[in-house]
Amino acid sequence: MAVLITGGCGYIGSHTVVELKNAGFDIVVLDNFYNSKPEALRRVRELVKGDFPFYECDIRDAEGLRRIFKENSIEVVIHFAGLKAVGESVTIPLEYFENNVGGTVTLCKAMSEAGCKKMVFSSSATVYGMNNPSPLKEDMPVGAVTNPYGRTKYFIEEILGDLCKSDSEWTAVCLRYFNPIGAHQSGTIGEDPNGIPNNLMPYISQVAIGKLDKLPVFGNDYDTHDGTGVRDYIHVVDLALGHLRALEYALEHTGWEAINLGTGTGYSVLDLINAFEKANGVRVPHYFTSRREGDVAVCYSDPSKAERLLGWKAARGIEEMCRDTWRWQSKNPRGYE
Ligand code: NAD
Ligand code: WQD
């Protein structure tokens, strides 16, 4: 019995593949390399010192999926594949709906057809939208999202909920990630964004290495301890380990569940810059500029449901997140190129 990992060559997927393989799971990986490189797959194989089936396939390709389910005995799917750039989703919303929502529907149909009815899905804290106060809890209202990307995550959660209601054999565990950062401790796999990074941590590390000049800090007039935005940063390896626990939970339960994966602690942009400089002995020149549209002042999790249901708790602190990011960045100044 194997676990299918869609989007397994991406940032979070690659780290999860390593932890699953190290824990002894049989895995099958699928990716279309839209936002990742074969080199990531090569390095993962090297890290785990073992092989596993890989399919270059798109989740919108029903025939391709059918073949994967036919050739492998898959019991559960961890579904990472999708597009994730918030700004881009405003410009090309249909691509986002087609890939994320359409792709997930095609995947669920292929799963049902093959009798595989368990999914762990990459959702996001973005589903909580603008109106909920932190700490964010799973029973708060969701859906008041500010961009098409967020809407795809909200819609997919709802679709999976309807699917579980329609068929009591289905299980969908929607993991609402907060802000994943960091890299594998080996420094051989990590986050490799295309072009200028949208997210804070890769921007910080590219400034530190001299690839970018200065970090723009979006707003210093928020109602927070230093005026800059506060987020719940979580080490990508902790996040990967959360998937192992969620997988075990999915194998033993049926029905729909949403679970936060965060640390429960918020750090501001300036906190993260300071932590990065201190942990790595580098400078991160920055300047203040206007707020970014759609940003909230504060966003952090109540992580207690994950501990209660999954027995999972983030273990790695901000210093380790900064050190591991820098190891990856300094060993691979040009990412996977
Ligand atoms: P990523 O872009 O690094 O990984 C996604 C992978 O999916 C890539 O390898 C890409 O090539 C692949 N992919 C995309 N569309 C595909 C398709 N149609 N068919 C097959 N493969 C496809 O992103 P990530 O940061 O690893 O995120 C993984 C998941 O977690 C995504 O669904 C993302 O929305 C979600 N998420 C990410 C964050 C974050 O901050 N990184 C936060 C919350 C949720
Ligand atoms: C963090 C903080 C910015 C860049 C996004 C998505 C969310 C989820 C995770 C997928 C904020 C500030 C940032 C910069 C800055 N992804 N910032 N200068 O916006 O919390 O979440 O990624 O689901 O859906 O929206 O993360 O890293 O972009 O920003 O000052 O150059 O850093 O304003 O306060 P965010 P982020």
Side-chain angles (χ1 to χ4, degrees):
M1 284 294 187
V3 184
L4 173 66
I5 300 147
T6 77
C9 300
Y11 173 44
I12 306 170
S14 58
H15 288 81
T16 306
V17 166
V18 168
E19 297 307 323
L20 282 170
K21 192 77 180 134
N22 285 344
F25 283 94
D26 276 336
I27 58 169
V28 176
V29 176
L30 163 172
D31 206 298
N32 68 354
F33 292 127
Y34 177 82
N35 197 37
S36 54
K37 299 199 175 74
E39 176 63 10
L41 177 65
R42 195 193 65 74
R43 292 195 191 182
V44 165
R45 282 187 161 135
E46 201 174 80
L47 258 181
V48 300
K49 297 185 183 68
D51 207 5
F52 46 81
F54 170 76
Y55 292 84
E56 186 169 344
C57 176
D58 194 297
I59 51 165
R60 294 165 293 176
D61 172 7
E63 209 36 64
L65 292 176
R66 227 168 261 138
R67 185 177 144 222
I68 296 175
F69 281 100
K70 207 166 155 210
E71 291 179 356
N72 301 276
S73 175
I74 293 164
E75 194 177 6
V76 49
V77 176
I78 306 185
H79 178 30
F80 293 107
L83 307 183
K84 65 160 183 180
V86 171
E88 182 185 68
S89 78
V90 177
T91 323
I92 49 166
L94 296 182
E95 295 298 322
Y96 274 69
F97 290 117
E98 186 181 75
N99 247 282
N100 295 7
V101 182
T104 303
V105 171
T106 304
L107 174 64
C108 289
K109 279 186 164 177
M111 289 173 65
S112 278
E113 230 177 81
C116 168
K117 299 183 178 180
K118 291 183 179 295
M119 177 185 283
V120 174
F121 169 62
S122 294
S123 189
S124 168
T126 195
V127 300
Y128 290 111
M130 301 288 279
N131 305 326
N132 291 302
S134 289
L136 295 159
K137 288 175 80 78
E138 291 85 348
D139 56 6
M140 285 176 169
V142 293
V145 290
T146 54
N147 56 74
Y149 165 73
R151 223 165 332 272
T152 68
K153 293 294 172 188
Y154 169 62
F155 287 166
I156 295 168
E157 282 201 1
E158 295 289 305
I159 289 167
L160 294 175
D162 287 339
L163 184 55
C164 290
K165 276 184 214 146
S166 74
D167 180 346
S168 61
E169 289 176 5
W170 258 91
T171 310
V173 181
C174 299
L175 298 177
R176 294 177 179 163
Y177 313 154
F178 281 70
N179 292 56
I181 60 171
H184 190 263
Q185 56 273 21
S186 62
T188 54
I189 58 169
E191 188 171 12
D192 181 24
N194 281 324
I196 296 183
N198 300 306
N199 297 113
L200 179 61
M201 189 51 130
Y203 210 115
I204 288 181
S205 64
Q206 291 195 14
V207 169
I209 200 104
K211 201 167 160 186
L212 293 168
D213 230 26
K214 267 185 175 189
L215 167 77
V217 177
F218 299 142
N220 61 347
D221 56 353
Y222 283 110
D223 185 16
T224 61
H225 65 275
D226 60 18
T228 66
V230 167
R231 296 291 182 274
D232 185 340
Y233 297 98
I234 173 168
H235 197 298
V236 66
V237 173
D238 276 330
L239 195 68
L241 292 170
H243 288 75
L244 258 72
R245 300 284 91 78
L247 198 61
E248 286 156 2
Y249 179 88
L251 289 170
E252 286 161 13
H253 296 81
T254 53
W256 184 95
E257 209 65 68
I259 305 175
N260 289 340
L261 292 186
T263 65
T265 304
Y267 289 99
S268 72
V269 176
L270 292 179
D271 289 339
L272 193 63
I273 294 172
N274 292 335
F276 195 89
E277 289 185 331
K278 192 162 162 243
N280 301 315
V282 292
R283 298 268 307 117
V284 182
H286 55 276
Y287 63 97
F288 296 113
T289 180
S290 47
R291 293 180 179 192
R292 184 173 64 180
E293 207 185 310
D295 274 354
V296 293
V298 178
C299 172
Y300 62 90
S301 66
D302 175 336
S304 57
K305 185 172 175 185
E307 189 168 9
R308 197 172 68 247
L309 251 55
L310 310 180
W312 171 91
K313 207 176 165 196
R316 292 160 180 77
I318 199 77
E319 196 190 327
E320 196 168 347
M321 300 182 211
C322 292
R323 264 195 279 113
D324 289 343
T325 300
W326 183 236
R327 192 176 303 110
W328 153 253
Q329 179 71 72
S330 43
K331 278 177 89 168
N332 306 273
R334 290 152 61 86
Y336 287 116
E337 258 176 45

